[in-house]
Structure formats: C-alpha cells, structure tokens
Amino acid sequence: MKQNGRGMRLNKQKQEDLRETLPCGGRRGEFMKLAADFRQAAREALRGKWPIAILIGLVAMLLGGSEKGGAEIKFNYDTSAGFSTTFNFAGQKIYSTGCGIDPKWSGLLIGGAIYLIVIALILAAVYFILGSAVGVGYAEYNLRLINQAEGGFDTLFAYLPDWKTTALTRLYKSLYVLVGTLLLVVPGIIMGYTYAMTDYILAEHPDMEPG
C-alpha cells in the first residue's frame, strides 16, 4: 500500500497480482473476476454493436422491461383549482388537461374519470405483464451479447409465451421490495439488491417456478 494525493490505493504490481492470483489459490477466471474484468468483457461484447444495443435497450425501457419509466396517469382534484388529469411517460409529463376548470364542472368529469381509471388500471396490468416478459427478454439479449451469440429485437419478445411466470416473478419481487421498504428503508434497499438479477436468472432458467 502507498499514500498519494488521492488517498490509499494498491500499487500497479499488487493490482496485477490480485488479478492473477485468487484467494482460493486458483488462477484468474477460475473463481472470480474483478470489476475491471467485467468492464472489459462488456466493451468486447458491445464492439461494433453499440447502436443496436442502445436502441434495443431504449425499446425495452419504453415497453416496461426496466420496471421504471412506464406510462402513468394521475388524477387530481382540488376544491379551488378543480379536476385535472396528467399523463406521464418515461418520467416526463406528456399531457395535462383539466387544470383550472371551474369546480362546478368538475363533478361532471368525475363520472368520466372513473371510466378512465378503470381503463388505466387495465392498461397498467397489460403494461406490467408485457414489461415483465420484455425484461427477461432484454436480460436474455444481454446474455447473448456477452456469449457472442446472435440476438435482436425478437429476443425481447422471446418470453411472451411464459408471461404468467415472468409476471408472477416480477409481482413477487415487487412485493418483497415493498415489504422491506415498509419495515424500514434499509431492508427495502437490501431486498432490491437481493432480487436485482432476477430477470437474468429467469432468462437462464426459464423452467424455474416463481415464488
């Protein structure tokens, strides 16, 4: 170990020794890899495939494969401002209507809002199911990249026939994280990391049962 202006860090020779010799006595690649090894493997896998990989990742996110940034509809009612509806997608406000409507007209819109809520719930369920399958498909695409295998947009939808398994798995995962968060924030964070690789495990073992 040596001291420099950026704090304590391993010297170059020590880093190379750690890369080549593992705690178990084996050689590099036999037991574990360092972060630099994963970064190098990722760069090699993406060589010449950056544009299509980014595009497929964007499509997966828009279809709910990332579990974030999906469609969201919010209904708001205020006695002074009246009734309003906001549609968000990918974390951005896309459309907002009804702001500033006279409260006496807001009541007429509430009945229609109920139908909109039902439609929104149905769309949310479809989006959740589609996103769960696309999420596993995107994990499969990334695994194929690393393994130098062929993969394309069709890989995103490869697990649609197993939508029940993917949807239940994502539902259980969400519930576990939610329960952990409700108990205390830290358990929720731990749960999030614990189940972070769920889609990749399911992509490699599609015959596994959710639970």
Side-chain angles (χ1 to χ4, degrees), residues 23-104:
C24 63
R27 302 300 295 171
R28 183 181 181 183
E30 295 178 354
F31 181 71
M32 70 174 185
K33 293 183 179 180
L34 302 179
D37 298 314
F38 288 108
R39 288 194 296 269
Q40 181 179 354
R43 286 192 291 266
E44 289 295 329
L46 288 167
R47 191 183 302 277
K49 301 178 181 177
W50 281 96
I52 186 65
I54 292 174
L55 185 59
I56 289 178
L58 179 61
V59 171
M61 183 193 73
L62 294 177
L63 293 178
S66 65
E67 302 184 55
K68 298 178 182 178
E72 182 181 25
I73 299 177
K74 292 184 178 180
F75 300 95
N76 306 292
Y77 179 79
D78 186 88
T79 54
S80 59
F83 179 83
S84 64
T85 304
T86 302
F87 177 73
N88 298 330
F89 192 79
Q92 301 296 321
K93 182 187 290 187
I94 302 300
Y95 182 70
S96 181
T97 184
C99 295
I101 293 179
D102 193 314
K104 69 180 181 180

Side-chain angles (χ1 to χ4, degrees), residues 30-202:
E30 295 178 354
F31 181 71
M32 70 174 185
K33 293 183 179 180
L34 302 179
D37 298 314
F38 288 108
R39 288 194 296 269
Q40 181 179 354
R43 286 192 291 266
E44 289 295 329
L46 288 167
R47 191 183 302 277
K49 301 178 181 177
W50 281 96
I52 186 65
I54 292 174
L55 185 59
I56 289 178
L58 179 61
V59 171
M61 183 193 73
L62 294 177
L63 293 178
S66 65
E67 302 184 55
K68 298 178 182 178
E72 182 181 25
I73 299 177
K74 292 184 178 180
F75 300 95
N76 306 292
Y77 179 79
D78 186 88
T79 54
S80 59
F83 179 83
S84 64
T85 304
T86 302
F87 177 73
N88 298 330
F89 192 79
Q92 301 296 321
K93 182 187 290 187
I94 302 300
Y95 182 70
S96 181
T97 184
C99 295
I101 293 179
D102 193 314
K104 69 180 181 180
W105 295 106
S106 297
L108 298 176
L109 297 176
I110 292 178
I114 294 176
Y115 291 103
L116 289 176
I117 291 173
V118 173
I119 294 174
L121 290 175
I122 294 174
L123 290 177
V126 173
Y127 189 81
F128 181 86
I129 294 171
L130 176 62
S132 66
V134 170
V136 179
Y138 185 52
E140 172 67 19
Y141 172 77
N142 289 325
L143 290 173
R144 291 188 183 185
L145 273 180
I146 291 295
N147 295 324
Q148 300 296 323
E150 291 295 325
F153 283 99
D154 58 316
T155 309
L156 292 179
F157 307 100
Y159 291 86
L160 280 178
D162 303 314
W163 64 269
K164 290 182 180 179
T165 300
T166 59
L168 283 176
T169 300
R170 177 170 288 192
L171 178 62
Y172 288 142
K173 173 185 174 182
S174 301
L175 288 177
Y176 293 150
V177 174
L178 176 62
V179 170
T181 304
L182 292 177
L183 291 176
L184 279 176
V185 176
V186 174
I189 296 174
I190 294 174
M191 285 291 186
Y193 278 105
T194 301
Y195 295 101
M197 296 292 105
T198 300
D199 287 347
Y200 288 87
I201 295 173
L202 196 57

